[in-house]
PDB file of all heavy atoms in Angstrom:
ATOM      1  N   GLN A   1      20.194  62.659 -60.252  1.00 85.00           N
ATOM      2  CA  GLN A   1      20.345  62.118 -61.546  1.00 85.00           C
ATOM      3  C   GLN A   1      20.044  63.246 -62.618  1.00 85.00           C
ATOM      4  O   GLN A   1      18.948  63.874 -62.566  1.00 85.00           O
ATOM      5  CB  GLN A   1      19.404  60.921 -61.909  1.00 85.00           C
ATOM      6  CG  GLN A   1      19.692  59.680 -61.027  1.00 85.00           C
ATOM      7  CD  GLN A   1      18.785  58.555 -61.496  1.00 85.00           C
ATOM      8  OE1 GLN A   1      18.102  58.599 -62.511  1.00 85.00           O
ATOM      9  NE2 GLN A   1      18.748  57.530 -60.668  1.00 85.00           N
ATOM     10  N   GLU A   2      20.984  63.541 -63.419  1.00 85.00           N
ATOM     11  CA  GLU A   2      20.784  64.602 -64.416  1.00 85.00           C
ATOM     12  C   GLU A   2      19.943  64.095 -65.552  1.00 85.00           C
ATOM     13  O   GLU A   2      20.077  62.942 -66.050  1.00 85.00           O
ATOM     14  CB  GLU A   2      22.145  64.963 -64.982  1.00 85.00           C
ATOM     15  CG  GLU A   2      22.014  66.173 -65.952  1.00 85.00           C
ATOM     16  CD  GLU A   2      23.379  66.775 -66.405  1.00 85.00           C
ATOM     17  OE1 GLU A   2      24.159  66.039 -67.074  1.00 85.00           O
ATOM     18  OE2 GLU A   2      23.672  67.954 -66.048  1.00 85.00           O
ATOM     19  N   SER A   3      18.996  64.841 -65.990  1.00 85.00           N
ATOM     20  CA  SER A   3      18.108  64.524 -67.122  1.00 85.00           C
ATOM     21  C   SER A   3      18.366  65.498 -68.265  1.00 85.00           C
ATOM     22  O   SER A   3      18.564  66.664 -68.091  1.00 85.00           O
ATOM     23  CB  SER A   3      16.604  64.610 -66.620  1.00 85.00           C
ATOM     24  OG  SER A   3      16.244  63.678 -65.647  1.00 85.00           O
ATOM     25  N   ASP A   4      18.379  64.810 -69.438  1.00 84.00           N
ATOM     26  CA  ASP A   4      18.650  65.678 -70.570  1.00 84.00           C
ATOM     27  C   ASP A   4      17.416  66.120 -71.317  1.00 84.00           C
ATOM     28  O   ASP A   4      16.348  65.332 -71.420  1.00 84.00           O
ATOM     29  CB  ASP A   4      19.417  64.838 -71.718  1.00 84.00           C
ATOM     30  CG  ASP A   4      20.873  64.623 -71.172  1.00 84.00           C
ATOM     31  OD1 ASP A   4      21.374  65.594 -70.363  1.00 84.00           O
ATOM     32  OD2 ASP A   4      21.511  63.466 -71.391  1.00 84.00           O
ATOM     33  N   PHE A   5      17.374  67.324 -71.918  1.00 83.00           N
ATOM     34  CA  PHE A   5      16.188  67.988 -72.502  1.00 83.00           C
ATOM     35  C   PHE A   5      16.623  68.646 -73.795  1.00 83.00           C
ATOM     36  O   PHE A   5      17.818  69.081 -73.936  1.00 83.00           O
ATOM     37  CB  PHE A   5      15.433  68.939 -71.680  1.00 83.00           C
ATOM     38  CG  PHE A   5      14.980  68.384 -70.352  1.00 83.00           C
ATOM     39  CD1 PHE A   5      15.776  68.207 -69.233  1.00 83.00           C
ATOM     40  CD2 PHE A   5      13.587  67.922 -70.331  1.00 83.00           C
ATOM     41  CE1 PHE A   5      15.205  67.617 -68.085  1.00 83.00           C
ATOM     42  CE2 PHE A   5      13.107  67.339 -69.156  1.00 83.00           C
ATOM     43  CZ  PHE A   5      13.912  67.305 -68.100  1.00 83.00           C
ATOM     44  N   SER A   6      15.652  68.819 -74.717  1.00 82.00           N
ATOM     45  CA  SER A   6      15.811  69.583 -75.941  1.00 82.00           C
ATOM     46  C   SER A   6      14.639  70.251 -76.237  1.00 82.00           C
ATOM     47  O   SER A   6      13.575  69.626 -76.479  1.00 82.00           O
ATOM     48  CB  SER A   6      16.327  68.713 -77.047  1.00 82.00           C
ATOM     49  OG  SER A   6      16.505  69.533 -78.164  1.00 82.00           O
ATOM     50  N   PHE A   7      14.521  71.638 -76.217  1.00 79.00           N
ATOM     51  CA  PHE A   7      13.305  72.311 -76.390  1.00 79.00           C
ATOM     52  C   PHE A   7      12.976  72.742 -77.841  1.00 79.00           C
ATOM     53  O   PHE A   7      11.912  73.242 -78.092  1.00 79.00           O
ATOM     54  CB  PHE A   7      13.260  73.549 -75.517  1.00 79.00           C
ATOM     55  CG  PHE A   7      13.013  73.255 -74.033  1.00 79.00           C
ATOM     56  CD1 PHE A   7      13.137  74.374 -73.135  1.00 79.00           C
ATOM     57  CD2 PHE A   7      12.582  72.104 -73.590  1.00 79.00           C
ATOM     58  CE1 PHE A   7      12.911  74.074 -71.723  1.00 79.00           C
ATOM     59  CE2 PHE A   7      12.430  71.834 -72.207  1.00 79.00           C
ATOM     60  CZ  PHE A   7      12.514  72.891 -71.336  1.00 79.00           C
ATOM     61  N   HIS A   8      14.010  72.704 -78.782  1.00 77.00           N
ATOM     62  CA  HIS A   8      13.573  72.986 -80.114  1.00 77.00           C
ATOM     63  C   HIS A   8      13.218  74.416 -80.311  1.00 77.00           C
ATOM     64  O   HIS A   8      12.230  74.718 -81.098  1.00 77.00           O
ATOM     65  CB  HIS A   8      12.740  71.991 -80.772  1.00 77.00           C
ATOM     66  CG  HIS A   8      13.187  70.605 -80.676  1.00 77.00           C
ATOM     67  ND1 HIS A   8      14.125  69.937 -81.281  1.00 77.00           N
ATOM     68  CD2 HIS A   8      12.614  69.562 -79.810  1.00 77.00           C
ATOM     69  CE1 HIS A   8      14.298  68.678 -80.980  1.00 77.00           C
ATOM     70  NE2 HIS A   8      13.425  68.473 -80.022  1.00 77.00           N
ATOM     71  N   ILE A   9      13.840  75.342 -79.591  1.00 75.00           N
ATOM     72  CA  ILE A   9      13.464  76.767 -79.814  1.00 75.00           C
ATOM     73  C   ILE A   9      14.337  77.379 -80.781  1.00 75.00           C
ATOM     74  O   ILE A   9      15.590  77.279 -80.677  1.00 75.00           O
ATOM     75  CB  ILE A   9      13.538  77.453 -78.282  1.00 75.00           C
ATOM     76  CG1 ILE A   9      12.539  76.748 -77.382  1.00 75.00           C
ATOM     77  CG2 ILE A   9      13.274  78.935 -78.462  1.00 75.00           C
ATOM     78  CD1 ILE A   9      12.637  77.473 -75.927  1.00 75.00           C
ATOM     79  N   PRO A  10      13.797  78.267 -81.682  1.00 69.00           N
ATOM     80  CA  PRO A  10      14.498  78.796 -82.851  1.00 69.00           C
ATOM     81  C   PRO A  10      15.639  79.786 -82.430  1.00 69.00           C
ATOM     82  O   PRO A  10      16.697  79.789 -82.967  1.00 69.00           O
ATOM     83  CB  PRO A  10      13.554  79.407 -83.678  1.00 69.00           C
ATOM     84  CG  PRO A  10      12.334  79.703 -82.801  1.00 69.00           C
ATOM     85  CD  PRO A  10      12.380  78.613 -81.763  1.00 69.00           C
ATOM     86  N   PHE A  11      15.384  80.686 -81.435  1.00 70.00           N
ATOM     87  CA  PHE A  11      16.405  81.735 -81.333  1.00 70.00           C
ATOM     88  C   PHE A  11      16.043  82.495 -79.928  1.00 70.00           C
ATOM     89  O   PHE A  11      14.988  82.444 -79.533  1.00 70.00           O
ATOM     90  CB  PHE A  11      16.303  82.878 -82.397  1.00 70.00           C
ATOM     91  CG  PHE A  11      14.905  83.506 -82.620  1.00 70.00           C
ATOM     92  CD1 PHE A  11      14.674  84.610 -81.780  1.00 70.00           C
ATOM     93  CD2 PHE A  11      13.939  83.014 -83.343  1.00 70.00           C
ATOM     94  CE1 PHE A  11      13.418  85.203 -81.910  1.00 70.00           C
ATOM     95  CE2 PHE A  11      12.735  83.549 -83.420  1.00 70.00           C
ATOM     96  CZ  PHE A  11      12.414  84.694 -82.702  1.00 70.00           C
ATOM     97  N   GLY A  12      17.137  83.075 -79.410  1.00 74.00           N
ATOM     98  CA  GLY A  12      17.020  84.199 -78.395  1.00 74.00           C
ATOM     99  C   GLY A  12      16.440  83.866 -77.158  1.00 74.00           C
ATOM    100  O   GLY A  12      15.924  84.801 -76.469  1.00 74.00           O
ATOM    101  N   PHE A  13      16.460  82.597 -76.585  1.00 82.00           N
ATOM    102  CA  PHE A  13      15.763  82.282 -75.400  1.00 82.00           C
ATOM    103  C   PHE A  13      16.842  81.851 -74.295  1.00 82.00           C
ATOM    104  O   PHE A  13      17.873  81.248 -74.712  1.00 82.00           O
ATOM    105  CB  PHE A  13      14.826  81.227 -75.576  1.00 82.00           C
ATOM    106  CG  PHE A  13      13.507  81.595 -76.213  1.00 82.00           C
ATOM    107  CD1 PHE A  13      13.319  81.589 -77.464  1.00 82.00           C
ATOM    108  CD2 PHE A  13      12.449  81.957 -75.302  1.00 82.00           C
ATOM    109  CE1 PHE A  13      12.055  82.038 -77.978  1.00 82.00           C
ATOM    110  CE2 PHE A  13      11.228  82.382 -75.727  1.00 82.00           C
ATOM    111  CZ  PHE A  13      11.109  82.514 -77.119  1.00 82.00           C
ATOM    112  N   SER A  14      16.678  82.208 -73.133  1.00 85.00           N
ATOM    113  CA  SER A  14      17.445  81.839 -71.993  1.00 85.00           C
ATOM    114  C   SER A  14      16.577  81.021 -70.976  1.00 85.00           C
ATOM    115  O   SER A  14      15.444  81.391 -70.825  1.00 85.00           O
ATOM    116  CB  SER A  14      18.167  82.882 -71.334  1.00 85.00           C
ATOM    117  OG  SER A  14      17.352  83.757 -70.744  1.00 85.00           O
ATOM    118  N   LEU A  15      17.219  80.093 -70.263  1.00 86.00           N
ATOM    119  CA  LEU A  15      16.545  79.377 -69.257  1.00 86.00           C
ATOM    120  C   LEU A  15      17.240  79.667 -67.964  1.00 86.00           C
ATOM    121  O   LEU A  15      18.464  79.474 -67.841  1.00 86.00           O
ATOM    122  CB  LEU A  15      16.503  77.859 -69.542  1.00 86.00           C
ATOM    123  CG  LEU A  15      15.611  76.927 -68.664  1.00 86.00           C
ATOM    124  CD1 LEU A  15      14.124  77.345 -68.798  1.00 86.00           C
ATOM    125  CD2 LEU A  15      15.890  75.544 -68.990  1.00 86.00           C
ATOM    126  N   SER A  16      16.552  80.083 -66.904  1.00 88.00           N
ATOM    127  CA  SER A  16      17.175  80.340 -65.627  1.00 88.00           C
ATOM    128  C   SER A  16      16.557  79.571 -64.464  1.00 88.00           C
ATOM    129  O   SER A  16      15.294  79.368 -64.559  1.00 88.00           O
ATOM    130  CB  SER A  16      17.266  81.823 -65.306  1.00 88.00           C
ATOM    131  OG  SER A  16      15.868  82.360 -65.286  1.00 88.00           O
ATOM    132  N   SER A  17      17.290  79.145 -63.442  1.00 87.00           N
ATOM    133  CA  SER A  17      16.801  78.475 -62.364  1.00 87.00           C
ATOM    134  C   SER A  17      16.419  79.483 -61.217  1.00 87.00           C
ATOM    135  O   SER A  17      17.265  80.430 -60.981  1.00 87.00           O
ATOM    136  CB  SER A  17      17.819  77.507 -61.812  1.00 87.00           C
ATOM    137  OG  SER A  17      17.327  76.879 -60.598  1.00 87.00           O
ATOM    138  N   GLU A  18      15.195  79.374 -60.564  1.00 83.00           N
ATOM    139  CA  GLU A  18      14.840  80.241 -59.533  1.00 83.00           C
ATOM    140  C   GLU A  18      15.441  79.874 -58.266  1.00 83.00           C
ATOM    141  O   GLU A  18      15.230  80.668 -57.292  1.00 83.00           O
ATOM    142  CB  GLU A  18      13.329  80.269 -59.486  1.00 83.00           C
ATOM    143  CG  GLU A  18      12.561  80.630 -60.776  1.00 83.00           C
ATOM    144  CD  GLU A  18      12.551  82.138 -60.932  1.00 83.00           C
ATOM    145  OE1 GLU A  18      12.531  82.878 -60.093  1.00 83.00           O
ATOM    146  OE2 GLU A  18      12.763  82.458 -62.184  1.00 83.00           O
ATOM    147  N   SER A  19      16.141  78.798 -58.058  1.00 86.00           N
ATOM    148  CA  SER A  19      16.579  78.361 -56.807  1.00 86.00           C
ATOM    149  C   SER A  19      17.955  77.590 -56.960  1.00 86.00           C
ATOM    150  O   SER A  19      18.207  77.075 -58.020  1.00 86.00           O
ATOM    151  CB  SER A  19      15.702  77.379 -56.076  1.00 86.00           C
ATOM    152  OG  SER A  19      15.400  76.277 -56.935  1.00 86.00           O
ATOM    153  N   GLU A  20      18.823  77.671 -55.951  1.00 85.00           N
ATOM    154  CA  GLU A  20      20.111  77.152 -56.071  1.00 85.00           C
ATOM    155  C   GLU A  20      20.123  75.571 -55.996  1.00 85.00           C
ATOM    156  O   GLU A  20      21.160  74.897 -56.453  1.00 85.00           O
ATOM    157  CB  GLU A  20      21.008  77.496 -54.877  1.00 85.00           C
ATOM    158  CG  GLU A  20      20.488  77.237 -53.516  1.00 85.00           C
ATOM    159  CD  GLU A  20      21.311  77.804 -52.353  1.00 85.00           C
ATOM    160  OE1 GLU A  20      22.156  78.681 -52.620  1.00 85.00           O
ATOM    161  OE2 GLU A  20      21.151  77.284 -51.219  1.00 85.00           O
ATOM    162  N   GLU A  21      18.970  75.038 -55.641  1.00 87.00           N
ATOM    163  CA  GLU A  21      18.884  73.560 -55.580  1.00 87.00           C
ATOM    164  C   GLU A  21      18.904  72.917 -56.996  1.00 87.00           C
ATOM    165  O   GLU A  21      19.216  71.652 -57.260  1.00 87.00           O
ATOM    166  CB  GLU A  21      17.717  72.943 -54.867  1.00 87.00           C
ATOM    167  CG  GLU A  21      17.756  73.208 -53.432  1.00 87.00           C
ATOM    168  CD  GLU A  21      17.314  74.622 -52.936  1.00 87.00           C
ATOM    169  OE1 GLU A  21      16.971  75.484 -53.844  1.00 87.00           O
ATOM    170  OE2 GLU A  21      17.265  74.861 -51.620  1.00 87.00           O
ATOM    171  N   VAL A  22      18.455  73.677 -58.004  1.00 89.00           N
ATOM    172  CA  VAL A  22      18.333  73.130 -59.389  1.00 89.00           C
ATOM    173  C   VAL A  22      19.360  73.881 -60.233  1.00 89.00           C
ATOM    174  O   VAL A  22      19.407  75.051 -60.255  1.00 89.00           O
ATOM    175  CB  VAL A  22      16.889  73.330 -59.948  1.00 89.00           C
ATOM    176  CG1 VAL A  22      16.904  72.928 -61.407  1.00 89.00           C
ATOM    177  CG2 VAL A  22      15.893  72.615 -59.157  1.00 89.00           C
ATOM    178  N   THR A  23      20.222  73.155 -60.933  1.00 88.00           N
ATOM    179  CA  THR A  23      21.286  73.649 -61.757  1.00 88.00           C
ATOM    180  C   THR A  23      21.117  73.290 -63.193  1.00 88.00           C
ATOM    181  O   THR A  23      20.478  72.189 -63.494  1.00 88.00           O
ATOM    182  CB  THR A  23      22.669  73.350 -61.336  1.00 88.00           C
ATOM    183  OG1 THR A  23      22.800  71.882 -61.162  1.00 88.00           O
ATOM    184  CG2 THR A  23      23.002  73.971 -59.961  1.00 88.00           C
ATOM    185  N   LEU A  24      21.624  74.050 -64.147  1.00 87.00           N
ATOM    186  CA  LEU A  24      21.542  73.847 -65.586  1.00 87.00           C
ATOM    187  C   LEU A  24      22.837  73.747 -66.246  1.00 87.00           C
ATOM    188  O   LEU A  24      23.817  74.323 -65.709  1.00 87.00           O
ATOM    189  CB  LEU A  24      20.690  74.971 -66.242  1.00 87.00           C
ATOM    190  CG  LEU A  24      19.373  75.413 -65.578  1.00 87.00           C
ATOM    191  CD1 LEU A  24      18.861  76.674 -66.188  1.00 87.00           C
ATOM    192  CD2 LEU A  24      18.299  74.278 -65.747  1.00 87.00           C
ATOM    193  N   GLY A  25      22.959  73.033 -67.327  1.00 83.00           N
ATOM    194  CA  GLY A  25      24.174  72.979 -68.037  1.00 83.00           C
ATOM    195  C   GLY A  25      24.180  72.179 -69.357  1.00 83.00           C
ATOM    196  O   GLY A  25      23.157  71.485 -69.600  1.00 83.00           O
ATOM    197  N   TYR A  26      25.223  72.396 -70.139  1.00 72.00           N
ATOM    198  CA  TYR A  26      25.287  71.687 -71.375  1.00 72.00           C
ATOM    199  C   TYR A  26      26.105  70.380 -71.306  1.00 72.00           C
ATOM    200  O   TYR A  26      26.046  69.469 -72.141  1.00 72.00           O
ATOM    201  CB  TYR A  26      26.005  72.598 -72.532  1.00 72.00           C
ATOM    202  CG  TYR A  26      25.203  73.710 -72.859  1.00 72.00           C
ATOM    203  CD1 TYR A  26      25.544  75.070 -72.541  1.00 72.00           C
ATOM    204  CD2 TYR A  26      23.970  73.617 -73.495  1.00 72.00           C
ATOM    205  CE1 TYR A  26      24.867  76.160 -72.880  1.00 72.00           C
ATOM    206  CE2 TYR A  26      23.176  74.710 -73.810  1.00 72.00           C
ATOM    207  CZ  TYR A  26      23.595  76.077 -73.579  1.00 72.00           C
ATOM    208  OH  TYR A  26      22.865  77.052 -73.783  1.00 72.00           O
ATOM    209  N   THR A  27      26.854  70.160 -70.180  1.00 63.00           N
ATOM    210  CA  THR A  27      27.541  69.036 -69.905  1.00 63.00           C
ATOM    211  C   THR A  27      27.420  68.722 -68.463  1.00 63.00           C
ATOM    212  O   THR A  27      26.942  69.524 -67.598  1.00 63.00           O
ATOM    213  CB  THR A  27      29.101  69.123 -70.194  1.00 63.00           C
ATOM    214  OG1 THR A  27      29.653  70.000 -69.168  1.00 63.00           O
ATOM    215  CG2 THR A  27      29.359  69.683 -71.487  1.00 63.00           C
ATOM    216  N   SER A  28      27.748  67.440 -68.096  1.00 56.00           N
ATOM    217  CA  SER A  28      27.465  66.998 -66.616  1.00 56.00           C
ATOM    218  C   SER A  28      28.456  67.684 -65.736  1.00 56.00           C
ATOM    219  O   SER A  28      28.317  67.666 -64.579  1.00 56.00           O
ATOM    220  CB  SER A  28      27.578  65.523 -66.587  1.00 56.00           C
ATOM    221  OG  SER A  28      26.564  64.929 -67.330  1.00 56.00           O
ATOM    222  N   ASN A  29      29.560  68.258 -66.240  1.00 63.00           N
ATOM    223  CA  ASN A  29      30.646  68.776 -65.402  1.00 63.00           C
ATOM    224  C   ASN A  29      30.512  70.334 -65.191  1.00 63.00           C
ATOM    225  O   ASN A  29      31.107  70.818 -64.227  1.00 63.00           O
ATOM    226  CB  ASN A  29      31.979  68.524 -66.049  1.00 63.00           C
ATOM    227  CG  ASN A  29      32.227  66.996 -66.181  1.00 63.00           C
ATOM    228  OD1 ASN A  29      31.895  66.273 -65.323  1.00 63.00           O
ATOM    229  ND2 ASN A  29      32.786  66.553 -67.281  1.00 63.00           N
ATOM    230  N   ILE A  30      29.816  71.033 -66.035  1.00 70.00           N
ATOM    231  CA  ILE A  30      29.673  72.516 -65.868  1.00 70.00           C
ATOM    232  C   ILE A  30      28.201  72.803 -65.701  1.00 70.00           C
ATOM    233  O   ILE A  30      27.358  72.637 -66.657  1.00 70.00           O
ATOM    234  CB  ILE A  30      30.150  73.219 -67.088  1.00 70.00           C
ATOM    235  CG1 ILE A  30      31.632  72.717 -67.424  1.00 70.00           C
ATOM    236  CG2 ILE A  30      30.039  74.677 -67.035  1.00 70.00           C
ATOM    237  CD1 ILE A  30      32.219  73.298 -68.633  1.00 70.00           C
ATOM    238  N   ARG A  31      27.805  73.400 -64.570  1.00 74.00           N
ATOM    239  CA  ARG A  31      26.421  73.785 -64.322  1.00 74.00           C
ATOM    240  C   ARG A  31      26.366  75.148 -63.837  1.00 74.00           C
ATOM    241  O   ARG A  31      27.317  75.772 -63.208  1.00 74.00           O
ATOM    242  CB  ARG A  31      25.887  72.844 -63.260  1.00 74.00           C
ATOM    243  CG  ARG A  31      25.853  71.325 -63.559  1.00 74.00           C
ATOM    244  CD  ARG A  31      24.935  70.571 -62.663  1.00 74.00           C
ATOM    245  NE  ARG A  31      25.094  69.100 -62.990  1.00 74.00           N
ATOM    246  CZ  ARG A  31      25.806  68.300 -62.369  1.00 74.00           C
ATOM    247  NH1 ARG A  31      26.669  68.625 -61.396  1.00 74.00           N
ATOM    248  NH2 ARG A  31      25.836  67.002 -62.703  1.00 74.00           N
ATOM    249  N   SER A  32      25.284  75.818 -64.028  1.00 82.00           N
ATOM    250  CA  SER A  32      25.030  77.203 -63.649  1.00 82.00           C
ATOM    251  C   SER A  32      23.512  77.462 -63.478  1.00 82.00           C
ATOM    252  O   SER A  32      22.761  76.455 -63.512  1.00 82.00           O
ATOM    253  CB  SER A  32      25.527  78.145 -64.637  1.00 82.00           C
ATOM    254  OG  SER A  32      24.737  78.068 -65.940  1.00 82.00           O
ATOM    255  N   ASP A  33      23.176  78.595 -62.987  1.00 83.00           N
ATOM    256  CA  ASP A  33      21.776  78.966 -62.712  1.00 83.00           C
ATOM    257  C   ASP A  33      21.067  79.499 -64.069  1.00 83.00           C
ATOM    258  O   ASP A  33      19.919  79.808 -63.896  1.00 83.00           O
ATOM    259  CB  ASP A  33      21.604  79.865 -61.589  1.00 83.00           C
ATOM    260  CG  ASP A  33      22.293  81.194 -61.876  1.00 83.00           C
ATOM    261  OD1 ASP A  33      23.021  81.338 -62.859  1.00 83.00           O
ATOM    262  OD2 ASP A  33      22.146  82.161 -61.028  1.00 83.00           O
ATOM    263  N   GLN A  34      21.806  79.640 -65.110  1.00 84.00           N
ATOM    264  CA  GLN A  34      21.164  80.175 -66.342  1.00 84.00           C
ATOM    265  C   GLN A  34      21.944  79.689 -67.570  1.00 84.00           C
ATOM    266  O   GLN A  34      23.264  79.695 -67.591  1.00 84.00           O
ATOM    267  CB  GLN A  34      21.161  81.641 -66.353  1.00 84.00           C
ATOM    268  CG  GLN A  34      20.517  82.201 -67.590  1.00 84.00           C
ATOM    269  CD  GLN A  34      20.240  83.783 -67.480  1.00 84.00           C
ATOM    270  OE1 GLN A  34      19.979  84.248 -66.361  1.00 84.00           O
ATOM    271  NE2 GLN A  34      20.508  84.460 -68.569  1.00 84.00           N
ATOM    272  N   ILE A  35      21.331  79.357 -68.600  1.00 83.00           N
ATOM    273  CA  ILE A  35      21.963  78.915 -69.889  1.00 83.00           C
ATOM    274  C   ILE A  35      21.110  79.484 -71.006  1.00 83.00           C
ATOM    275  O   ILE A  35      19.914  79.859 -70.866  1.00 83.00           O
ATOM    276  CB  ILE A  35      21.970  77.391 -70.091  1.00 83.00           C
ATOM    277  CG1 ILE A  35      20.510  76.822 -69.929  1.00 83.00           C
ATOM    278  CG2 ILE A  35      22.840  76.773 -69.031  1.00 83.00           C
ATOM    279  CD1 ILE A  35      20.503  75.270 -70.347  1.00 83.00           C
ATOM    280  N   ASP A  36      21.757  79.648 -72.145  1.00 83.00           N
ATOM    281  CA  ASP A  36      21.052  80.091 -73.418  1.00 83.00           C
ATOM    282  C   ASP A  36      20.697  78.850 -74.201  1.00 83.00           C
ATOM    283  O   ASP A  36      21.404  77.917 -74.307  1.00 83.00           O
ATOM    284  CB  ASP A  36      22.036  80.944 -74.246  1.00 83.00           C
ATOM    285  CG  ASP A  36      22.313  82.244 -73.628  1.00 83.00           C
ATOM    286  OD1 ASP A  36      21.502  82.777 -72.949  1.00 83.00           O
ATOM    287  OD2 ASP A  36      23.562  82.726 -73.799  1.00 83.00           O
TER     288      ASP A  36
END
């Protein structure tokens, strides 16, 4: 089940996954191991 988050960070941060079991994305259809 995909969960939505919002960190309210002002600028210049990236979030990356340390393992292939957890993926990140801005939509449910596009996922990767790192997002801005």
Side-chain angles (χ1 to χ4, degrees):
Q1 289 186 17
E2 186 173 64
S3 295
D4 292 327
F5 297 85
S6 179
F7 282 174
H8 307 284
I9 296 179
F11 60 86
F13 281 88
S14 65
L15 188 66
S16 59
S17 174
E18 303 283 324
S19 55
E20 60 182 16
E21 289 85 358
V22 177
T23 55
L24 311 166
Y26 295 113
T27 70
S28 298
N29 299 321
I30 304 173
R31 300 193 183 96
S32 66
D33 62 352
Q34 180 172 320
I35 59 172
D36 294 325

